[in-house]
């Protein structure tokens, strides 16, 4: 007789109790998947959205640019950096950009803001949220030397329409004030007013000319990855390529967007804590069930130990029961969670009625549709955590059973 | 052939502490049991029968005195040595609820053999032979709740003897069955004793059981009252 079989039959002896307990484990799986998958989805979304707002998943830039983003800090061979980056596995796109502060003026009005100078021949909506959210006109073409794309809010503030002139003033690489003239070719609307009121796109060539940059110079190369989770690894690879270049630094999105990274870290921590607490409540329930079952079986343990079973074997038997309970719970969990997960992964729940269409957090637009996405490692983590909690819940009852002394329990009456 | 008694109790006392009162369950009790005996501990309720069986069966320790089994002083053995000793040298039959409810009759009977790590095929063979011996071969696949009290006791006896122990200790094995069943169980034990030389020591206060014994150890208040050996 194998202990494993015995443990299973013991569990099935009180089917109702075992199934109810297993369902509480399954419910834990469902909750855990709900929490984790909705945040895995939301984080991925936020990270990818933030990446397409300018800096990419990784940005290659002058090592001092992050701390003091003045326009004298620049990469001198941005195109070469871009080419090397594109050869790295996991990189889906790399864009050369110049980013900085400027004053924008039209007629009598002016506002401060930020510009992103891009190569119109290379940028695509896929990696540029402003081109993705154009509401009027289009991006300037490669031969529109003075084309600009402005946000809807700025257009409103400065009374801009397509074809209108926009004057922008910035400090060049030597600290001198320079002004350039642009003509509005497109207007975007991301939905975030602080972005729509401040960001202006214009051609890379115009920025280079105005700032006095060398022909291949740029503030950064924004790199996009097929999976943001690879950021650290790929940063390591790229940094290795330029180990001998003190003028080139690589930052992950966490480093270039510490606010977002912090927000996600705190949210994730809170999430884990919540899940852990739910887990504890469930574990307490499991422990209670096992303890009850152990108490009811004192006589049986007494007999088995009288017959020569070792305390360690009794402990193993009860641990195997909790192991079965964990597996049963996981199996039920998968059964009840799968349809819910599939629905949420494909369709999701639209919260735009509750939170509005243009909700942003940490400076990043948040998708109002709650959907699920579960990373493989998250799924394994949930399975491992649920299973270990069940096992941990079994430890005390198991030792309780192992401490049974045969004589005390064979006294009749 | 050495003639060391199988069981030796030397001046054994077992005193229970019950709150502030001390209860002497067994007092200065000495007893030798030889291999091949068919002996009965008898006496009124509370006279110490179960306590003595527990002491011999290495389930309990004496407060004073010495218990030897096959010449070995049990006080010198550790917890796991005692467990091994019970597994290999002693067969137990309790008054009731002997069997594990999740195991079939067959699995219950082979429980001790499984603890001894005897290979499954060999286990099955031995168990089926013994179940046939006690008349339970047909019902081998039933669970305890599908068996009568007498049938359960037969399975318990099968489990006690299948590992070829030095002695089978049975605490009122017939107390919870009707008299016809009790007779059948006794017949079985007598036969196993006569045919296979298995040593039995059991307790009872049932007169009909006492009539079948070859040695009657009378107890009163935890002391030996009379040790009666019959032809
Ligand atoms: N765990 C214990 N704690 C305190 N006293 C005990 C304990 N076990 C037994 N006793 C006492 O020891 C005495 C002997 O008990 P024991 O169970 O050995 O008697 P018995 O002859 O088997 O009785 P019965 O025929 O009722 O089974 C009784 O007075 C009993 O109350
Ligand atoms: Mg008794």
């Amino acid at each position: 007789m194998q202990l494993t079989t015995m443990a299973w039959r013991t569990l099935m002896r009180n089917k109702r109790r075992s199934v109810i307990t297993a369902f509480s484990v399954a419910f834990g799986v469902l909750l855990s998947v709900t929490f984790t998958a909705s945040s895995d989805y939301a984080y991925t979304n936020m990270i990818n959205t933030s990446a397409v707002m300018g800096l990419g998943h990784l940005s290659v830039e002058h090592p001092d640019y992050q701390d003091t983003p003045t326009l004298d800090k620049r990469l001198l061979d941005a195109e070469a950096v871009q080419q090397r980056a594109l050869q790295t596995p996991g990189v889906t796109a790399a864009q050369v950009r110049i980013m900085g502060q400027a004053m924008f003026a039209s007629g009598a009005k002016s506002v401060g803001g930020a510009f992103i100078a891009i190569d119109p021949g290379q940028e695509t909506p896929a990696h540029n949220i402003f081109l993705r959210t154009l509401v009027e006109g289009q991006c300037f073409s490669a031969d529109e030397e003075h084309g600009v794309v402005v946000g809807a809010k700025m257009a409103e503030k400065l009374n801009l329409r397509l074809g209108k002139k926009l004057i922008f003033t910035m400090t060049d690489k030597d600290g001198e004030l320079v002004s350039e003239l642009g003509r509005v070719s497109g207007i975007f609307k991301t939905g975030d007013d602080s972005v729509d009121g401040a960001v202006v796109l214009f051609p890379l060539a115009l920025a280079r000319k105005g700032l006095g940059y060398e022909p291949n110079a740029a503030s950064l190369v924004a790199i996009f990855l097929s999976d943001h989770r690879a950021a650290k690894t790929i940063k390591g690879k790229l940094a290795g390529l330029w180990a001998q270049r003190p003028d080139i630094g690589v930052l992950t999105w966490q480093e270039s967007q510490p606010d977002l990274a912090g927000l996600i870290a705190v949210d994730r921590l809170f999430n884990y804590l919540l899940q852990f607490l739910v887990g504890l409540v469930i574990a307490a329930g499991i422990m209670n069930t096992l303890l009850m079952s152990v108490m009811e079986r004192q006589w049986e343990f007494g007999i088995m130990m009288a017959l020569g079973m070792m305390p360690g074997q009794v402990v193993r038997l009860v641990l195997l029961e909790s192991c079965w309970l964990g597996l049963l719970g996981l199996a039920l969990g998968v059964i009840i969670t799968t349809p819910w997960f599939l629905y949420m992964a494909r369709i999701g729940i639209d919260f735009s009625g509750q939170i509005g269409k243009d909700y942003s957090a940490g400076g990043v637009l948040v998708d109002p549709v709650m959907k699920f996405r579960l990373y493989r490692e998250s799924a394994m983590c949930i399975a491992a955590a649920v299973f270990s909690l069940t096992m941990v819940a079994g430890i005390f009852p198991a030792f309780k059973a192992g401490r049974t002394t045969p004589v005390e329990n064979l006294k009749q009456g | 052939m050495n003639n060391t008694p199988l069981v030796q109790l030397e001046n054994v006392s077992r005193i229970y502490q019950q709150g502030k009162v001390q209860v002497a369950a067994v007092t200065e009790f000495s007893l030798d049991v030889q291999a091949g005996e068919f002996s009965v501990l008898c006496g009124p309720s509370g006279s110490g029968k179960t306590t003595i069986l527990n002491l011999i069966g290495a389930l309990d320790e004496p407060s004073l005195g010495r218990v030897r089994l096959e010449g070995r002083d049990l006080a010198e053995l550790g917890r796991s040595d005692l467990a091994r000793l019970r597994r290999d040298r002693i067969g137990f039959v309790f008054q009731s609820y002997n069997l594990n409810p999740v195991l079939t009759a067959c699995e219950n009977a082979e429980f001790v053999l499984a603890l001894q790590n005897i290979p499954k095929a060999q286990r099955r063979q031995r168990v089926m032979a013994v179940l046939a011996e006690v008349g339970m071969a047909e019902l081998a696949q039933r669970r305890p709740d599908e068996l009568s009290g007498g049938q359960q006791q037969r399975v318990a006896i099968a489990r006690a003897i299948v590992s070829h122990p030095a002695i089978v200790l049975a605490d009122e094995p017939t107390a919870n069955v009707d008299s016809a069943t009790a007779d059948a169980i006794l017949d079985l034990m007598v036969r196993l004793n006569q045919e296979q030389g298995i040593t039995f020591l059991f307790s009872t206060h049932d007169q009909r059981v006492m009539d079948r014994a070859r040695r009657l150890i009378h107890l009163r208040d935890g002391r030996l009252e009379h040790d009666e050996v019959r032809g």
Side-chain angles (χ1 to χ4, degrees):
Chain A
M1 180 84 264
Q2 295 298 305
L3 286 183
T4 327
T5 325
M6 234 173 121
W8 174 255
R9 289 198 204 157
T10 303
L11 218 57
M12 285 302 108
R13 188 163 143 200
N14 196 332
K15 272 206 193 73
R16 205 164 73 135
R17 183 166 72 190
S18 301
V19 167
I20 288 174
T21 312
F23 259 110
S24 80
V25 175
F27 179 67
V29 172
L30 181 88
L31 269 181
S32 210
V33 167
T34 302
F35 284 141
T36 310
S38 61
S39 46
D40 275 358
Y41 177 82
Y43 299 154
T44 305
N45 231 358
M46 285 166 84
I47 293 163
N48 289 341
T49 306
S50 106
V52 296
M53 286 173 87
L55 296 171
H57 292 120
L58 290 175
S59 61
V60 183
E61 54 188 54
H62 189 282
D64 299 332
Y65 180 76
Q66 159 92 341
D67 291 333
T68 39
T70 55
L71 288 164
D72 58 323
K73 315 271 183 359
R74 60 198 190 275
L75 297 173
L76 290 175
D77 49 354
E79 268 78 9
V81 166
Q82 179 192 27
Q83 289 317 311
R84 289 303 294 270
L86 282 172
Q87 287 158 16
T88 309
V91 172
T92 54
Q95 299 292 354
V96 176
R97 290 171 180 170
I98 298 174
M99 291 172 69
Q101 309 291 319
M103 285 297 296
F104 302 96
S106 167
K109 293 183 190 150
S110 71
V111 292
F115 68 85
I116 305 175
I118 60 170
D119 181 343
Q122 292 197 13
E123 295 272 350
T124 61
H127 300 112
N128 189 321
I129 194 170
F130 311 107
L131 301 186
R132 198 189 293 172
T133 54
L134 285 174
V135 288
E136 270 182 75
Q138 57 207 8
C139 183
F140 38 84
S141 66
D143 40 51
E144 261 177 282
E145 224 181 298
H146 292 275
V148 300
V149 170
V150 300
K153 198 81 195 165
M154 183 179 287
E156 191 187 313
K157 279 193 264 184
L158 299 182
N159 275 326
L160 294 171
R161 271 176 287 114
L162 292 183
K164 284 267 200 167
K165 277 186 248 172
L166 174 72
I167 294 163
F168 41 98
T169 308
M170 51 208 176
T171 40
D172 74 3
K173 73 177 190 345
D174 304 315
E176 304 288 332
L177 279 178
V178 291
S179 286
E180 288 291 340
L181 175 72
R183 205 173 277 280
V184 177
S185 73
I187 296 175
F188 66 82
K189 186 169 190 227
T190 62
D192 183 332
D193 281 352
S194 65
V195 173
D196 295 343
V199 175
V200 174
L201 308 185
F202 54 77
L204 198 56
L206 181 62
R208 279 175 175 157
K209 189 182 103 204
L211 297 170
Y213 271 24
E214 299 75 0
N216 281 317
S219 346
L220 63 108
V221 177
I223 294 171
F224 299 88
L225 309 177
S226 50
D227 187 339
H228 69 81
R229 287 170 292 168
K232 276 211 180 67
T233 321
I234 296 181
K235 168 191 166 159
K237 278 190 202 150
L238 293 177
L241 289 178
W242 297 304
Q244 308 303 321
R245 293 279 303 271
D247 58 328
I248 298 183
V250 185
L251 297 177
T252 60
W253 64 266
Q254 290 99 325
E255 292 160 329
S256 61
Q257 315 247 67
D259 285 355
L260 177 62
L263 184 88
I264 290 178
V266 169
D267 194 76
R268 183 167 274 154
L269 194 72
F270 185 71
N271 220 318
Y272 285 161
L273 195 71
L274 202 69
Q275 292 187 47
F276 180 70
L277 291 179
V278 172
L280 276 190
V281 172
I282 293 170
I286 298 168
M287 189 165 103
N288 182 46
T289 302
L290 288 171
L291 211 52
M292 241 160 39
S293 131
V294 162
M295 290 322 215
E296 291 164 0
R297 290 186 289 149
Q298 291 286 306
W299 172 262
E300 278 166 54
F301 293 133
I303 296 264
M304 290 193 287
M305 288 169 90
L307 294 178
M309 198 173 188
M310 304 281 177
Q313 290 173 299
V314 175
V315 170
R316 266 222 312 279
L317 177 66
V318 178
L319 284 179
L320 282 168
E321 288 167 23
S322 90
C323 175
W324 275 126
L325 201 54
L327 289 177
L328 188 66
L330 273 182
L332 284 175
V334 169
I335 293 171
I336 63 172
T337 306
T338 303
W340 166 235
F341 179 81
L342 289 179
Y343 174 82
M344 287 302 288
R346 288 184 190 157
I347 297 156
I349 299 174
D350 191 344
F351 282 108
S352 50
Q354 280 74 42
I355 62 172
K357 275 198 160 41
D358 306 327
Y359 178 74
S360 71
V364 177
L365 283 165
V366 176
D367 188 346
V369 179
M370 177 168 124
K371 276 185 151 188
F372 281 2
R373 165 178 186 161
L374 195 61
Y375 297 141
R376 185 192 308 247
E377 58 264 32
S378 299
M380 293 198 304
C381 205
I382 291 173
V386 168
F387 188 70
S388 342
L389 266 178
T390 320
M391 289 307 289
V392 167
I395 290 176
F396 178 65
F399 277 90
K400 191 106 188 138
R403 273 204 308 270
T404 309
T405 44
V407 64
E408 289 306 317
N409 294 293
L410 292 181
K411 289 273 174 194
Q412 280 147 323
Chain B
M1 191 75 196
N2 72 52
N3 49 4
T4 315
L6 188 57
V7 176
Q8 291 167 280
L9 299 184
E10 297 169 10
N11 269 321
V12 168
S13 297
R14 177 64 170 102
I15 296 155
Y16 289 108
Q17 191 75 40
Q18 219 170 22
K20 281 191 181 134
V21 232
Q22 291 196 330
V23 182
V26 172
T27 313
E28 292 172 5
F29 180 79
S30 296
L31 175 75
D32 284 355
V33 177
Q34 302 292 341
E37 277 190 23
F38 191 82
S39 305
V40 168
L41 288 165
C42 55
S45 182
S47 58
K49 305 182 294 291
T50 299
T51 306
I52 289 171
L53 288 176
N54 283 346
L55 289 168
I56 297 172
L59 293 171
D60 196 6
E61 290 166 29
S63 312
L64 291 167
R66 207 167 286 280
V67 180
R68 290 180 203 275
L69 191 80
E70 299 182 303
R72 269 199 291 181
D73 185 349
L74 300 188
E76 284 165 9
L77 301 179
R79 206 161 131 89
S80 48
D81 287 329
L82 289 173
R84 220 164 288 130
L85 178 93
R86 290 196 297 266
R87 184 190 72 188
D88 298 339
R89 305 306 298 149
I90 304 171
F92 288 98
V93 179
F94 301 98
Q95 186 174 326
S96 53
Y97 304 112
N98 263 296
L99 305 182
N100 190 307
V102 303
L103 304 181
T104 62
C106 178
E107 288 163 344
N108 263 294
E110 68 177 6
F111 186 80
V112 177
L113 299 184
L115 290 179
Q116 289 174 334
N117 288 319
I118 289 173
K120 188 160 187 157
Q122 199 184 331
R123 223 154 70 194
R124 273 291 137 96
Q125 202 185 340
R126 278 171 67 178
V127 162
M128 288 318 292
V130 173
L131 283 177
E133 190 81 21
V134 301
M136 287 295 296
E138 313 280 83
L139 306 176
Q141 297 314 317
R142 293 223 187 151
R143 299 264 177 111
D145 58 5
E146 300 160 338
L147 297 174
S148 71
Q151 289 168 335
Q152 291 185 30
Q153 288 308 73
R154 285 164 186 271
V155 175
I157 291 169
R159 180 181 65 193
I161 63 172
V162 72
S163 57
H164 305 309
I167 187 168
V168 174
L169 303 174
D171 194 4
E172 311 203 29
T174 58
N176 282 6
V177 294
D178 60 70
S179 55
T181 310
D183 278 337
I185 289 173
L186 271 166
D187 287 343
L188 172 64
M189 294 203 285
V190 169
R191 185 162 57 81
L192 289 168
N193 172 256
Q194 283 169 352
E195 290 175 2
Q196 302 187 17
I198 299 171
T199 312
F200 279 92
L201 176 62
F202 51 97
S203 74
T204 194
H205 44 222
D206 180 342
Q207 188 55 47
R208 282 167 313 140
V209 176
M210 293 186 227
D211 292 344
R212 309 282 297 263
R214 274 188 282 145
R215 179 183 178 190
L216 277 175
I217 302 150
H218 294 272
L219 297 172
R220 181 166 296 277
D221 297 333
R223 292 173 190 272
L224 180 67
E225 192 185 46
H226 180 48
D227 191 350
E228 174 188 353
V229 182
R230 307 183 200 161

